Amino acid sequence: MRSTPEPTENEPVKRVLLAAPRGYCAGVDRAVVTVEKALELYGPPVYVRKQIVHNKHVVTTLEKRGAIFVDETEQVPEGATVVFSAHGVAPVVHEEAQALSLKTIDATCPLVTKVHREAVRFANEDYDILLIGHEGHEEVIGTSGEAPEHITLVDGPEDVANVTVRDPEKVVWLSQTTLSVDETLETVRLLRERFPAMQDPPSDDICYATQNRQLAVKQMAADCDLMIVVGSRNSSNSVRLVEVALEHGARAGHLVDYAEEIDESWLDGVATVGVTSGASVPEVLVRGVLDFLGERGYADVRPVVAAEESLVFSLPNEIRRDLKAAGMSDKMTHDGSFAASGSLH
């Protein structure tokens, strides 16, 4: 790291607190590499239903390489290859794909798949399932589609009063994986006041990466005059990081996709800038923000380490099989020519 120039009188000592962990989680990494590998193996075009992950840069980069993003299954030509996004899809989407004879690669994050399986299990046992999440989010739509007649969406603490169930003794809550931990706990507390017998999910539904990124922000927020979160506005976990920063003492917080979106007026009178990124953000975008700040005197970068992460998911079975048949690596790495083009991995 470059050293910070000596401040003049009345000028604050400038520094950056850099959150760790930040950026890609294992599920996002797996999904992005899945599309890259599919392009490498099958050649373009490869269709992707919805954004593979909620990040503008990732989507734009993959489009340039031959990925075609569509909103609905019916937009994919019959017999083509389609990748399902990391957020998961409802069973009806698999049925639509089968009707069009599509070659499907399911890049749903395994932690989202776990929530789907929980929903199916509790629906089979005739529970009312209270799904805590944001209305309209792709993950919520996918999970709800597993058992729509059993699932009621609870969109935050303010929605608890609207919930009705058939039998207060047979209720369980599940959640979207990318929520604010604190807000979810508050929602659960209020739900339990109404339904004391409500069961918890078998294991925590909010994913490890979401929790770790929020934990790092909590540890540094009170020391930050400004928190910059790198991430896209449709990324639930990125938006939550700004909210968590402000709730835990940051004087200001902003979400940006790129360094160029930083308004220099945000830095007026600012000594300490916190920097982190959402779970769908490649590290190159964080480096761009650090370079931007370094050029403006914030060259002293200090890591704030909240947790260590080592989890890696293997690629979806469908593409692993085809890669092996083609004599290509099915690991989370790239073969020569594609790697040289600059992977998002």
Side-chain angles (χ1 to χ4, degrees):
M1 299 297 178
R2 293 173 290 174
S3 60
T4 306
E6 287 297 318
T8 59
E9 191 175 356
N10 299 325
E11 183 183 352
V13 178
K14 296 178 177 180
R15 63 173 181 164
V16 173
L17 299 182
L18 181 61
R22 63 184 175 276
Y24 274 6
C25 62
V28 163
D29 206 6
R30 173 182 186 261
V32 173
V33 174
T34 294
V35 178
E36 292 181 327
K37 287 278 193 179
L39 288 166
E40 190 178 4
L41 176 61
Y42 309 122
V46 168
Y47 290 83
V48 184
R49 189 183 182 277
K50 305 293 187 182
Q51 292 189 357
I52 186 65
V53 296
H54 286 158
N55 183 263
K56 183 188 298 185
H57 178 77
V58 170
V59 170
T60 301
T61 302
L62 291 174
E63 282 178 332
K64 290 176 181 175
R65 293 176 181 173
I68 297 176
F69 292 87
V70 299
D71 287 326
E72 302 299 338
T73 316
E74 64 190 24
Q75 295 172 266
V76 181
E78 189 168 354
T81 297
V82 63
V83 179
F84 295 146
S85 81
H87 308 103
V89 298
V92 66
V93 175
H94 289 279
E95 294 167 9
E96 292 168 355
Q98 188 172 11
L100 288 169
S101 301
L102 301 182
K103 177 181 180 60
T104 61
I105 302 170
D106 190 352
T108 301
C109 172
L111 300 180
V112 174
T113 299
K114 176 183 77 74
V115 180
H116 281 227
R117 288 174 177 158
E118 290 168 355
V120 170
R121 171 193 152 190
F122 285 110
N124 287 340
E125 295 175 7
D126 202 30
Y127 275 78
D128 278 341
I129 301 165
L130 305 182
L131 177 61
I132 302 172
H134 297 303
E135 186 171 4
H137 191 279
E138 288 155 35
E139 185 184 327
V140 166
I141 293 169
T143 302
S144 298
E146 293 286 0
E149 68 283 2
H150 285 270
I151 292 177
T152 298
L153 178 63
V154 185
D155 198 342
E158 64 283 352
D159 204 22
V160 170
N162 303 321
V163 175
T164 58
V165 299
R166 294 170 300 157
D167 181 357
E169 299 300 311
K170 289 203 75 174
V171 181
V172 63
W173 70 271
L174 303 177
S175 83
Q176 182 181 328
T177 62
T178 55
L179 299 179
S180 159
V181 175
D182 294 337
E183 183 176 297
T184 302
L185 291 175
E186 175 63 9
T187 305
V188 171
R189 184 187 69 79
L190 293 172
L191 284 170
R192 186 155 277 123
E193 285 183 358
R194 294 198 56 203
F195 311 112
M198 180 179 70
Q199 289 192 32
D200 296 324
S203 59
D204 201 339
D205 283 347
I206 297 180
C207 89
Y208 76 97
T210 297
Q211 296 189 52
N212 287 345
R213 280 147 191 72
Q214 290 179 19
L215 180 61
V217 167
K218 288 177 184 180
Q219 290 183 6
M220 58 199 275
D223 295 322
C224 295
D225 302 302
L226 168 68
M227 181 72 71
I228 295 175
V229 177
V230 186
S232 294
R233 282 160 181 75
N234 64 337
S235 166
S236 177
N237 76 88
S238 299
V239 172
R240 299 290 86 72
L241 289 173
V242 177
E243 295 173 352
V244 168
L246 295 173
E247 288 165 1
H248 286 81
R251 263 67 80 194
H254 296 281
L255 183 67
V256 299
D257 268 297
Y258 300 100
E260 307 89 82
E261 296 176 7
I262 298 173
D263 186 332
E264 294 208 32
S265 68
W266 298 347
L267 302 174
D268 291 347
V270 166
T272 300
V273 181
V275 175
T276 189
S277 58
S280 49
V281 177
E283 184 66 8
V284 64
L285 301 184
V286 176
R287 292 293 149 194
V289 168
L290 294 178
D291 289 344
F292 178 97
L293 293 171
E295 290 164 3
R296 287 152 183 82
Y298 298 87
D300 179 11
V301 180
R302 306 178 187 183
V304 176
V305 181
E308 300 290 340
E309 293 179 354
S310 57
L311 182 63
V312 176
F313 293 131
S314 60
L315 292 168
N317 289 334
E318 308 96 319
I319 197 165
R320 290 179 66 196
R321 179 185 62 239
D322 289 355
L323 286 166
K324 284 184 176 180
M328 297 168 65
S329 170
D330 66 343
K331 305 302 181 187
M332 292 282 288
T333 54
H334 293 282
D335 296 313
S337 61
F338 196 89
S341 71
S343 172
L344 286 163
H345 173 52

